[in-house]
Amino acid sequence: MGEFDYTDLLPLGADDTEYRLITTEGVRKVEAAGRTFLEVDPEALRLLTETAVHDISHYLRSSHLAQLRKIIEDPESSGNDRFVALDLLKNASISAGGVLPMCQDTGTAIVMGKRGRHVLTDGRDAEHVSRGVYDAYTKLNLRYSQMAPLTMWEEKNTGSNLPAQVELYAEDPHGHPDEYKLLFMAKGGGSANKSFLYQETKAVLNETRMMAFLEEKIRSLGTAACPPYHLAIVVGGTSAEYALKTAKYASARYLDSIPTEGSESGHGFRDLEMEAKVFELTQKLGIGAQFGGKYFCHDVRVIRLPRHGASCPVAIAVSCSADRQALAKITPEGIFLEQLETDPARFLPETTDEHLSDDVVNIDLNRPMQEILAELSKYPVKTRLSLTGPLVVARDIAHAKISELLDNGGEMPQYLKDHAVYYAGPAKTPEGYASGSFGPTTAGRMDSYVERFQAAGGSMVMLAKGNRSKQVTEACQKYGGFYLGSIGGPAARLAQDCIKKVEVLEYPELGMEAVWKIEVVDFPAFIVVDDKGEDFFTDRTGPVLSIGRR
């Protein structure tokens, strides 16, 4: 029988975050029962939350931007790696203007807080935090993505991006009973959908088996969540849900300061050696920053947790190119928020696009569809394109409605026959702009429609982000279609520089899910699936490590 030995499951080290002061109002010291307490007004929580949501929607951490610059400077980066990194830096510079958010999917608001035992509030902290989320999303050019379930099958957009996910704990953060520490995150659907839980056994707890397992699972992440990723892997866990939550926090680098060695007390720790090995693996996959190369990931975190002897959960999560999180604290000195980078342009290189990427093929979308298809057919997969002309925009609900139309004997809409279709949904349009942030959505959600739509003469050229299934490749080969990959992430740059006109074509009642027609200029894309049955991603499905071959 072991001795009693308490430890935090994830003991955090010193907090070396650089904070900026928001205000000294709304907090005060009070004396009672011989102790000093920190009293926090509801307005303090609301203001902090509203400010945090604004900042993480428009600014990134300097460390993240430095990693993008590193890709551009690395001589081993592919041309496509460097082009994606440059586009993401341009996007960050535009977003930092505070008008266009960095991504059109402005995410679910997630707030985790640790309140010291000497912090006094009115007990309605989650409500005040939620009010701050509401104020930010309704005042800023952000998108409402939360769907309220009315019945098991019917939903309605809440029109405010509420509810938020708010989790508050009674815990003295870093041993300070008079402090309130918080983590703010905005998690879009793309990266949230790349959180995975695998229920394994002790058999995976050796390096050979683990690396083979991870190679397979990391490949399956694909590019739909906008790499380069901050990849987090958690092995073990007192429960499945704890493993997943730990992976989410690790992907935000929230757990960077936990110990790097384990002990008999059972706390979790970072395995720095495994982090280096997995990071090297990601660089060998060939997927790169979306269209081939070295930088599938910026970095890797590997955390080992205690586990029940009969269970071995393994959790994987990513933070995408919209790496949106910020730490905050409320202390007797005031309300503080992590200082994010407000001048990302300083990370931009002096070199131009032409120095950073391969040759570019210009595609005129004003031409008849058959001529567009004939022009695309001249080039291999991975070719970089620049698109100019009209695009039709349609995503999940619009595709379902068109499919229902075909079910009822209707014809494929002419607009899907005449134009390339862009899978996307815009954020709110700021005054004076043609559109709000308007980046691509995950292509795979529309895979089931492709064969039927192309058989009816529609969706012959598709534009979105991420890899597609085999059925899409087969349909394109059968009907002569193409899937073009758009860079996932630079939604603000696309809105400012590439999208010149937006109008609703059909289903206006669907809001951002309506069918739109847009005019684009020099819209960047790559050939991912062609009319000959070639798929860029199929060349990157084989194992790269000998231990991965079984």
Side-chain angles (χ1 to χ4, degrees), residues 5-16:
D5 182 15
Y6 175 78
T7 179
D8 289 341
L9 274 177
L10 294 167
L12 296 177
D15 180 11
D16 58 1

Side-chain angles (χ1 to χ4, degrees), residues 27-31 36-39 178 332-333:
V27 296
R28 68 196 64 82
K29 292 181 180 179
V30 296
E31 302 290 335
T36 301
F37 294 86
L38 174 65
E39 188 174 27
D178 60 348
E333 288 70 45

Side-chain angles (χ1 to χ4, degrees), residues 100-282:
L100 294 166
M102 68 184 73
C103 179
Q104 81 285 348
D105 184 347
T106 48
T108 297
I110 300 173
V111 184
M112 185 272 287
K114 296 177 179 178
R115 190 175 80 179
R117 68 185 185 277
H118 289 173
V119 176
L120 302 177
T121 70
D122 67 358
R124 295 157 54 199
D125 300 25
E127 179 183 342
H128 306 315
V129 167
S130 295
R131 180 69 203 206
V133 170
Y134 173 89
D135 289 344
Y137 275 87
T138 53
K139 293 176 184 177
L140 300 172
N141 298 310
L142 308 183
R143 197 173 84 185
Y144 309 140
S145 300
Q146 303 309 305
M147 306 298 292
L150 305 180
T151 70
M152 179 61 74
W153 321 121
E154 297 172 308
E155 298 176 314
K156 183 179 180 181
N157 193 300
T158 62
S160 64
N161 216 56
L162 292 178
Q165 179 179 319
V166 183
E167 300 179 4
L168 303 175
Y169 300 90
E171 176 182 330
D172 289 354
H174 293 101
H176 295 287
D178 60 348
E179 288 192 1
Y180 207 146
K181 300 291 287 287
L182 300 106
L183 169 65
F184 293 91
M185 303 178 71
K187 201 73 173 171
S191 61
N193 292 345
K194 296 302 177 182
S195 297
F196 293 102
L197 174 72
Y198 305 97
Q199 294 286 19
E200 298 300 310
T201 68
K202 180 175 171 53
V204 80
L205 293 182
N206 65 78
E207 184 175 333
T208 300
R209 288 291 299 275
M210 180 60 75
M211 291 299 290
F213 170 84
L214 291 177
E215 181 177 345
E216 175 189 353
K217 303 308 180 187
I218 292 170
R219 285 184 187 280
S220 72
L221 292 174
T223 61
C226 308
Y229 297 133
H230 299 280
L231 174 65
I233 299 163
V234 174
V235 178
T238 49
S239 65
E241 61 271 22
Y242 192 80
L244 281 167
K245 183 178 295 188
T246 302
K248 178 178 289 185
Y249 292 154
S251 71
R253 278 83 71 215
Y254 178 74
L255 302 176
D256 277 8
S257 64
I258 68 171
T260 55
E261 293 181 348
S263 72
E264 292 185 6
S265 63
H267 63 74
F269 67 92
R270 283 181 63 187
D271 189 323
L272 302 183
E273 183 179 353
M274 273 294 288
E275 289 180 2
K277 290 179 178 179
V278 176
F279 183 57
E280 182 181 6
L281 166 64
T282 67

